[in-house]
Amino acid sequence: MKHEVIVSAKTIDAAVSEGAAKLGVNADEVTYEVITEPKKGFFGIGEVKAEVKVVYEKTPDKLAVDFLKTLISDMELDAEITMTSGKGNEKHISINGSEAGVLIGHHGDTLDALQYLVNLVANKKEDENEDRNYTKISLDIENYREKRQETLETLARRMSEKVLKYKKSITLEPMSPYERRIIHSAVQNIPGVSTNSIGNDNNRRVVIFLEK
């Protein structure tokens, strides 16, 4: 998604700065094309201003960050956003701050919904014929996902021990696909027990049972 503006100023740098300001971004975030070189003239006679086309291209990751910045600003939260690159077109965004926890929700349900929205915003095409690779964005808040993974792995081990001790299957509470994968993966490393998923949609649960 490109936004551009043509600006005239005494110097090229001044034109770029003014153009960036009009586009609502910093000068180091734009590219530019010089249409007319500036000329000083003689005592102001014959002076020619620089004419520059300033371009700001909103890449998927920029769209995602802008969306989150607007959300945090509108909610008046004390939080900061950082973004890092992963493999290929993968991006990871972290939100941290004293008030960022409100965006996590119960067992990360708000975080998951927010991540879904961020990916929609980042990959929305203005033109159906636009050729652009999909950018996968993972979102985390206050390192919640790592902490939640540790909690779920501990739960998987503890429930597996109960299944082995009492010889009875245990059905866990409903979880998201991401959390169910953590449970399945953790139980795979425990001899004598296995897992399966039951239920539909948001009520899907993991069952830990004795291997025959």
Side-chain angles (χ1 to χ4, degrees):
M1 183 187 299
K2 287 186 178 180
H3 298 270
E4 57 185 52
V5 62
I6 296 177
V7 181
S8 295
K10 285 190 175 183
T11 65
I12 293 174
D13 288 343
V16 172
S17 296
E18 185 179 338
K22 287 185 176 182
L23 293 171
V25 296
N26 297 323
D28 58 0
E29 296 181 83
V30 302
T31 58
Y32 64 90
E33 175 187 341
V34 178
I35 300 173
T36 303
E37 292 281 353
K39 293 181 181 179
K40 290 185 177 180
F42 184 70
F43 291 108
I45 300 173
E47 180 182 25
V48 177
K49 289 186 176 181
E51 188 175 27
V52 178
K53 180 168 72 172
V54 182
V55 180
Y56 174 63
E57 183 173 6
K58 284 197 172 184
T59 57
D61 50 332
K62 287 180 180 178
L63 287 167
V65 170
D66 286 349
F67 169 76
L68 290 170
K69 283 182 176 178
T70 300
L71 176 70
I72 289 171
S73 176
D74 289 347
M75 294 181 68
E76 298 182 349
L77 299 178
D78 178 17
E80 293 185 354
I81 299 171
T82 56
M83 182 175 63
T84 55
S85 297
K87 296 180 180 179
N89 287 334
E90 293 183 5
K91 301 289 182 180
H92 178 76
I93 297 177
S94 297
I95 302 177
N96 296 285
S98 60
E99 299 175 326
V102 70
L103 298 173
I104 296 174
H106 178 66
H107 287 176
D109 53 359
T110 304
L111 171 58
D112 289 339
L114 191 55
Q115 178 174 276
Y116 174 74
L117 288 175
V118 165
N119 278 275
L120 283 182
V121 169
N123 292 285
K124 182 180 179 181
K125 295 182 179 180
E126 290 190 331
D127 183 354
E128 292 183 359
N129 297 320
E130 183 180 356
D131 184 18
R132 188 174 68 187
N133 293 328
Y134 184 85
T135 298
K136 182 179 179 182
I137 298 176
S138 60
L139 180 64
D140 200 2
I141 298 172
E142 287 289 298
N143 204 29
Y144 169 81
R145 294 200 187 279
E146 182 178 342
K147 296 173 184 176
R148 180 62 174 162
Q149 179 172 340
E150 292 175 356
T151 298
L152 291 172
E153 288 174 344
T154 299
L155 174 67
R157 289 191 295 268
R158 191 170 71 248
M159 293 299 102
S160 295
E161 290 172 0
K162 286 189 176 182
V163 170
L164 290 168
K165 181 177 180 179
Y166 297 108
K167 312 299 181 184
K168 290 184 179 181
S169 299
I170 292 178
T171 302
L172 304 181
E173 64 179 333
M175 295 180 185
S176 67
Y178 167 76
E179 293 190 335
R180 293 199 306 273
R181 283 195 296 271
I182 294 174
I183 297 291
H184 289 309
S185 179
V187 175
Q188 280 182 355
N189 300 319
I190 302 174
V193 291
S194 188
T195 57
N196 194 12
S197 290
I198 61 171
N200 298 311
D201 302 326
N202 294 331
N203 198 40
R204 201 151 174 79
R205 306 161 181 257
V206 174
V207 179
I208 304 176
F209 58 91
L210 281 172
E211 287 185 329
K212 293 183 180 179

